[in-house]
PDB file of all heavy atoms in Angstrom:
ATOM      1  N   THR V 118      -7.309   5.674   3.100  1.00 74.00           N
ATOM      2  CA  THR V 118      -7.891   4.700   4.044  1.00 74.00           C
ATOM      3  C   THR V 118      -8.005   5.304   5.435  1.00 74.00           C
ATOM      4  O   THR V 118      -9.044   5.149   6.135  1.00 74.00           O
ATOM      5  CB  THR V 118      -7.021   3.441   4.095  1.00 74.00           C
ATOM      6  OG1 THR V 118      -6.925   2.876   2.784  1.00 74.00           O
ATOM      7  CG2 THR V 118      -7.631   2.415   5.030  1.00 74.00           C
ATOM      8  N   THR V 130     -19.035   8.592  16.373  1.00 84.00           N
ATOM      9  CA  THR V 130     -18.962   9.356  17.634  1.00 84.00           C
ATOM     10  C   THR V 130     -20.100  10.358  17.724  1.00 84.00           C
ATOM     11  O   THR V 130     -20.758  10.500  18.774  1.00 84.00           O
ATOM     12  CB  THR V 130     -17.632  10.095  17.720  1.00 84.00           C
ATOM     13  OG1 THR V 130     -16.559   9.146  17.639  1.00 84.00           O
ATOM     14  CG2 THR V 130     -17.509  10.872  19.012  1.00 84.00           C
ATOM     15  N   GLY V 150     -40.318  15.013  37.127  1.00 70.00           N
ATOM     16  CA  GLY V 150     -41.458  15.251  38.016  1.00 70.00           C
ATOM     17  C   GLY V 150     -41.324  14.526  39.339  1.00 70.00           C
ATOM     18  O   GLY V 150     -41.400  15.142  40.407  1.00 70.00           O
ATOM     19  N   ALA V 155     -39.955  14.474  45.081  1.00 66.00           N
ATOM     20  CA  ALA V 155     -39.208  13.902  46.197  1.00 66.00           C
ATOM     21  C   ALA V 155     -38.356  14.942  46.916  1.00 66.00           C
ATOM     22  O   ALA V 155     -38.275  14.941  48.155  1.00 66.00           O
ATOM     23  CB  ALA V 155     -38.301  12.761  45.680  1.00 66.00           C
ATOM     24  N   GLU V 168     -39.513  22.851  62.896  1.00 58.00           N
ATOM     25  CA  GLU V 168     -40.640  23.383  63.675  1.00 58.00           C
ATOM     26  C   GLU V 168     -41.107  22.386  64.714  1.00 58.00           C
ATOM     27  O   GLU V 168     -41.551  22.777  65.794  1.00 58.00           O
ATOM     28  CB  GLU V 168     -41.780  23.739  62.740  1.00 58.00           C
ATOM     29  CG  GLU V 168     -41.484  24.938  61.847  1.00 58.00           C
ATOM     30  CD  GLU V 168     -42.747  25.582  61.285  1.00 58.00           C
ATOM     31  OE1 GLU V 168     -43.827  25.024  61.500  1.00 58.00           O
ATOM     32  OE2 GLU V 168     -42.610  26.631  60.634  1.00 58.00           O
ATOM     33  N   GLY V 179     -35.562  25.047  77.586  1.00 71.00           N
ATOM     34  CA  GLY V 179     -35.686  26.391  78.163  1.00 71.00           C
ATOM     35  C   GLY V 179     -36.512  26.375  79.439  1.00 71.00           C
ATOM     36  O   GLY V 179     -36.268  27.171  80.349  1.00 71.00           O
ATOM     37  N   ARG V 180     -37.473  25.465  79.529  1.00 72.00           N
ATOM     38  CA  ARG V 180     -38.273  25.370  80.749  1.00 72.00           C
ATOM     39  C   ARG V 180     -37.435  24.877  81.929  1.00 72.00           C
ATOM     40  O   ARG V 180     -37.773  25.173  83.083  1.00 72.00           O
ATOM     41  CB  ARG V 180     -39.469  24.437  80.535  1.00 72.00           C
ATOM     42  CG  ARG V 180     -40.509  24.998  79.544  1.00 72.00           C
ATOM     43  CD  ARG V 180     -41.615  23.999  79.284  1.00 72.00           C
ATOM     44  NE  ARG V 180     -42.613  24.551  78.388  1.00 72.00           N
ATOM     45  CZ  ARG V 180     -43.708  25.212  78.762  1.00 72.00           C
ATOM     46  NH1 ARG V 180     -43.896  25.444  80.066  1.00 72.00           N
ATOM     47  NH2 ARG V 180     -44.576  25.657  77.899  1.00 72.00           N
ATOM     48  N   LEU V 181     -36.381  24.135  81.645  1.00 72.00           N
ATOM     49  CA  LEU V 181     -35.519  23.665  82.717  1.00 72.00           C
ATOM     50  C   LEU V 181     -34.783  24.809  83.398  1.00 72.00           C
ATOM     51  O   LEU V 181     -34.234  24.628  84.495  1.00 72.00           O
ATOM     52  CB  LEU V 181     -34.516  22.631  82.184  1.00 72.00           C
ATOM     53  CG  LEU V 181     -35.072  21.313  81.710  1.00 72.00           C
ATOM     54  CD1 LEU V 181     -33.957  20.479  81.100  1.00 72.00           C
ATOM     55  CD2 LEU V 181     -35.735  20.562  82.856  1.00 72.00           C
ATOM     56  N   LEU V 193     -23.760  31.002  82.081  1.00 89.00           N
ATOM     57  CA  LEU V 193     -22.348  30.793  81.760  1.00 89.00           C
ATOM     58  C   LEU V 193     -22.172  30.629  80.256  1.00 89.00           C
ATOM     59  O   LEU V 193     -21.242  31.195  79.663  1.00 89.00           O
ATOM     60  CB  LEU V 193     -21.834  29.568  82.514  1.00 89.00           C
ATOM     61  CG  LEU V 193     -20.385  29.144  82.234  1.00 89.00           C
ATOM     62  CD1 LEU V 193     -19.424  30.265  82.662  1.00 89.00           C
ATOM     63  CD2 LEU V 193     -20.043  27.850  82.934  1.00 89.00           C
ATOM     64  N   ALA V 201     -14.916  29.651  72.324  1.00 91.00           N
ATOM     65  CA  ALA V 201     -15.394  28.768  73.385  1.00 91.00           C
ATOM     66  C   ALA V 201     -16.870  28.432  73.167  1.00 91.00           C
ATOM     67  O   ALA V 201     -17.318  27.304  73.413  1.00 91.00           O
ATOM     68  CB  ALA V 201     -15.198  29.421  74.756  1.00 91.00           C
ATOM     69  N   ALA V 205     -18.589  24.768  72.658  1.00 88.00           N
ATOM     70  CA  ALA V 205     -19.779  24.363  73.411  1.00 88.00           C
ATOM     71  C   ALA V 205     -20.888  23.889  72.474  1.00 88.00           C
ATOM     72  O   ALA V 205     -21.659  22.997  72.831  1.00 88.00           O
ATOM     73  CB  ALA V 205     -20.270  25.529  74.254  1.00 88.00           C
ATOM     74  N   LEU V 214     -21.785  10.736  71.091  1.00 75.00           N
ATOM     75  CA  LEU V 214     -21.310   9.827  70.051  1.00 75.00           C
ATOM     76  C   LEU V 214     -21.119   8.385  70.552  1.00 75.00           C
ATOM     77  O   LEU V 214     -21.479   7.441  69.847  1.00 75.00           O
ATOM     78  CB  LEU V 214     -20.012  10.360  69.439  1.00 75.00           C
ATOM     79  CG  LEU V 214     -19.474   9.651  68.203  1.00 75.00           C
ATOM     80  CD1 LEU V 214     -20.497   9.733  67.066  1.00 75.00           C
ATOM     81  CD2 LEU V 214     -18.155  10.243  67.769  1.00 75.00           C
ATOM     82  N   LEU V 223     -25.458  -2.787  69.461  1.00 81.00           N
ATOM     83  CA  LEU V 223     -26.703  -3.509  69.772  1.00 81.00           C
ATOM     84  C   LEU V 223     -27.385  -3.980  68.503  1.00 81.00           C
ATOM     85  O   LEU V 223     -27.950  -5.100  68.448  1.00 81.00           O
ATOM     86  CB  LEU V 223     -27.645  -2.596  70.559  1.00 81.00           C
ATOM     87  CG  LEU V 223     -27.221  -2.257  71.996  1.00 81.00           C
ATOM     88  CD1 LEU V 223     -28.152  -1.202  72.582  1.00 81.00           C
ATOM     89  CD2 LEU V 223     -27.248  -3.513  72.867  1.00 81.00           C
ATOM     90  N   ILE V 241     -32.378  12.693  69.722  1.00 74.00           N
ATOM     91  CA  ILE V 241     -33.262  13.725  70.308  1.00 74.00           C
ATOM     92  C   ILE V 241     -32.513  14.555  71.316  1.00 74.00           C
ATOM     93  O   ILE V 241     -32.619  15.788  71.350  1.00 74.00           O
ATOM     94  CB  ILE V 241     -34.503  13.069  70.907  1.00 74.00           C
ATOM     95  CG1 ILE V 241     -35.407  12.468  69.813  1.00 74.00           C
ATOM     96  CG2 ILE V 241     -35.306  14.082  71.735  1.00 74.00           C
ATOM     97  CD1 ILE V 241     -36.584  11.687  70.348  1.00 74.00           C
ATOM     98  N   ARG V 249     -30.705  24.410  71.969  1.00 83.00           N
ATOM     99  CA  ARG V 249     -30.718  25.341  73.093  1.00 83.00           C
ATOM    100  C   ARG V 249     -29.404  26.101  73.215  1.00 83.00           C
ATOM    101  O   ARG V 249     -29.383  27.320  73.434  1.00 83.00           O
ATOM    102  CB  ARG V 249     -31.000  24.572  74.380  1.00 83.00           C
ATOM    103  CG  ARG V 249     -31.231  25.470  75.582  1.00 83.00           C
ATOM    104  CD  ARG V 249     -32.402  26.376  75.361  1.00 83.00           C
ATOM    105  NE  ARG V 249     -32.540  27.372  76.416  1.00 83.00           N
ATOM    106  CZ  ARG V 249     -33.386  28.397  76.384  1.00 83.00           C
ATOM    107  NH1 ARG V 249     -34.169  28.541  75.330  1.00 83.00           N
ATOM    108  NH2 ARG V 249     -33.477  29.275  77.357  1.00 83.00           N
ATOM    109  N   ILE V 250     -28.286  25.377  73.056  1.00 86.00           N
ATOM    110  CA  ILE V 250     -26.983  26.032  73.168  1.00 86.00           C
ATOM    111  C   ILE V 250     -26.805  27.063  72.062  1.00 86.00           C
ATOM    112  O   ILE V 250     -26.267  28.149  72.310  1.00 86.00           O
ATOM    113  CB  ILE V 250     -25.867  24.977  73.141  1.00 86.00           C
ATOM    114  CG1 ILE V 250     -25.906  24.133  74.412  1.00 86.00           C
ATOM    115  CG2 ILE V 250     -24.483  25.644  73.007  1.00 86.00           C
ATOM    116  CD1 ILE V 250     -24.938  22.967  74.398  1.00 86.00           C
ATOM    117  N   LEU V 258     -21.165  33.700  68.754  1.00 90.00           N
ATOM    118  CA  LEU V 258     -20.766  33.118  67.471  1.00 90.00           C
ATOM    119  C   LEU V 258     -20.765  34.145  66.350  1.00 90.00           C
ATOM    120  O   LEU V 258     -19.929  34.074  65.441  1.00 90.00           O
ATOM    121  CB  LEU V 258     -21.715  31.966  67.120  1.00 90.00           C
ATOM    122  CG  LEU V 258     -21.652  30.729  68.001  1.00 90.00           C
ATOM    123  CD1 LEU V 258     -22.714  29.734  67.582  1.00 90.00           C
ATOM    124  CD2 LEU V 258     -20.280  30.093  67.940  1.00 90.00           C
ATOM    125  N   TYR V 268     -23.494  32.472  58.112  1.00 86.00           N
ATOM    126  CA  TYR V 268     -24.862  32.575  58.613  1.00 86.00           C
ATOM    127  C   TYR V 268     -25.658  33.581  57.801  1.00 86.00           C
ATOM    128  O   TYR V 268     -26.822  33.303  57.461  1.00 86.00           O
ATOM    129  CB  TYR V 268     -24.799  32.995  60.099  1.00 86.00           C
ATOM    130  CG  TYR V 268     -26.155  32.993  60.770  1.00 86.00           C
ATOM    131  CD1 TYR V 268     -26.705  31.820  61.273  1.00 86.00           C
ATOM    132  CD2 TYR V 268     -26.891  34.169  60.913  1.00 86.00           C
ATOM    133  CE1 TYR V 268     -27.945  31.796  61.890  1.00 86.00           C
ATOM    134  CE2 TYR V 268     -28.129  34.182  61.530  1.00 86.00           C
ATOM    135  CZ  TYR V 268     -28.646  33.000  62.015  1.00 86.00           C
ATOM    136  OH  TYR V 268     -29.877  32.996  62.616  1.00 86.00           O
ATOM    137  N   LEU V 278     -35.831  29.378  49.997  1.00 71.00           N
ATOM    138  CA  LEU V 278     -36.202  27.987  49.786  1.00 71.00           C
ATOM    139  C   LEU V 278     -37.461  27.638  50.563  1.00 71.00           C
ATOM    140  O   LEU V 278     -38.368  26.977  50.054  1.00 71.00           O
ATOM    141  CB  LEU V 278     -35.053  27.089  50.211  1.00 71.00           C
ATOM    142  CG  LEU V 278     -35.299  25.584  50.102  1.00 71.00           C
ATOM    143  CD1 LEU V 278     -35.538  25.181  48.663  1.00 71.00           C
ATOM    144  CD2 LEU V 278     -34.107  24.797  50.689  1.00 71.00           C
ATOM    145  N   TRP V 286     -47.634  21.193  48.123  1.00 74.00           N
ATOM    146  CA  TRP V 286     -48.692  20.388  48.711  1.00 74.00           C
ATOM    147  C   TRP V 286     -48.180  19.597  49.916  1.00 74.00           C
ATOM    148  O   TRP V 286     -48.902  19.368  50.886  1.00 74.00           O
ATOM    149  CB  TRP V 286     -49.267  19.435  47.684  1.00 74.00           C
ATOM    150  CG  TRP V 286     -48.291  18.405  47.194  1.00 74.00           C
ATOM    151  CD1 TRP V 286     -47.479  18.477  46.111  1.00 74.00           C
ATOM    152  CD2 TRP V 286     -48.002  17.150  47.824  1.00 74.00           C
ATOM    153  NE1 TRP V 286     -46.695  17.358  46.004  1.00 74.00           N
ATOM    154  CE2 TRP V 286     -46.988  16.519  47.014  1.00 74.00           C
ATOM    155  CE3 TRP V 286     -48.482  16.464  48.951  1.00 74.00           C
ATOM    156  CZ2 TRP V 286     -46.482  15.263  47.328  1.00 74.00           C
ATOM    157  CZ3 TRP V 286     -47.960  15.217  49.233  1.00 74.00           C
ATOM    158  CH2 TRP V 286     -46.985  14.633  48.442  1.00 74.00           C
ATOM    159  N   GLU V 301     -54.508  16.495  69.338  1.00 87.00           N
ATOM    160  CA  GLU V 301     -54.694  15.243  70.067  1.00 87.00           C
ATOM    161  C   GLU V 301     -53.803  15.195  71.311  1.00 87.00           C
ATOM    162  O   GLU V 301     -54.218  14.738  72.375  1.00 87.00           O
ATOM    163  CB  GLU V 301     -54.403  14.048  69.160  1.00 87.00           C
ATOM    164  CG  GLU V 301     -55.403  13.871  68.028  1.00 87.00           C
ATOM    165  CD  GLU V 301     -56.799  13.502  68.535  1.00 87.00           C
ATOM    166  OE1 GLU V 301     -56.869  12.862  69.623  1.00 87.00           O
ATOM    167  OE2 GLU V 301     -57.776  13.825  67.875  1.00 87.00           O
ATOM    168  N   ALA V 305     -55.058  14.961  75.142  1.00 87.00           N
ATOM    169  CA  ALA V 305     -54.644  13.858  76.014  1.00 87.00           C
ATOM    170  C   ALA V 305     -53.971  14.393  77.279  1.00 87.00           C
ATOM    171  O   ALA V 305     -54.216  13.899  78.383  1.00 87.00           O
ATOM    172  CB  ALA V 305     -53.713  12.923  75.244  1.00 87.00           C
ATOM    173  N   ALA V 314     -50.407  15.895  88.159  1.00 80.00           N
ATOM    174  CA  ALA V 314     -50.095  16.970  89.078  1.00 80.00           C
ATOM    175  C   ALA V 314     -50.349  16.544  90.525  1.00 80.00           C
ATOM    176  O   ALA V 314     -49.575  16.873  91.427  1.00 80.00           O
ATOM    177  CB  ALA V 314     -50.915  18.210  88.753  1.00 80.00           C
ATOM    178  N   ALA V 335     -33.556  36.426  76.293  1.00 46.00           N
ATOM    179  CA  ALA V 335     -33.166  37.722  76.771  1.00 46.00           C
ATOM    180  C   ALA V 335     -33.169  37.768  78.310  1.00 46.00           C
ATOM    181  O   ALA V 335     -32.320  38.388  78.927  1.00 46.00           O
ATOM    182  CB  ALA V 335     -34.099  38.808  76.230  1.00 46.00           C
ATOM    183  N   ILE V 337     -32.469  35.229  80.215  1.00 44.00           N
ATOM    184  CA  ILE V 337     -31.336  34.472  80.710  1.00 44.00           C
ATOM    185  C   ILE V 337     -30.054  35.262  80.533  1.00 44.00           C
ATOM    186  O   ILE V 337     -29.216  35.375  81.425  1.00 44.00           O
ATOM    187  CB  ILE V 337     -31.240  33.128  79.970  1.00 44.00           C
ATOM    188  CG1 ILE V 337     -32.491  32.302  80.280  1.00 44.00           C
ATOM    189  CG2 ILE V 337     -29.997  32.359  80.367  1.00 44.00           C
ATOM    190  CD1 ILE V 337     -32.627  31.073  79.420  1.00 44.00           C
TER     191      ILE V 337
END
Side-chain angles (χ1 to χ4, degrees):
T118 302
T130 303
E168 292 200 354
R180 292 176 178 270
L181 292 175
L193 177 63
L214 189 61
L223 290 172
I241 291 175
R249 187 61 187 171
I250 292 173
L258 292 176
Y268 186 83
L278 177 63
W286 65 268
E301 293 294 331
I337 296 170

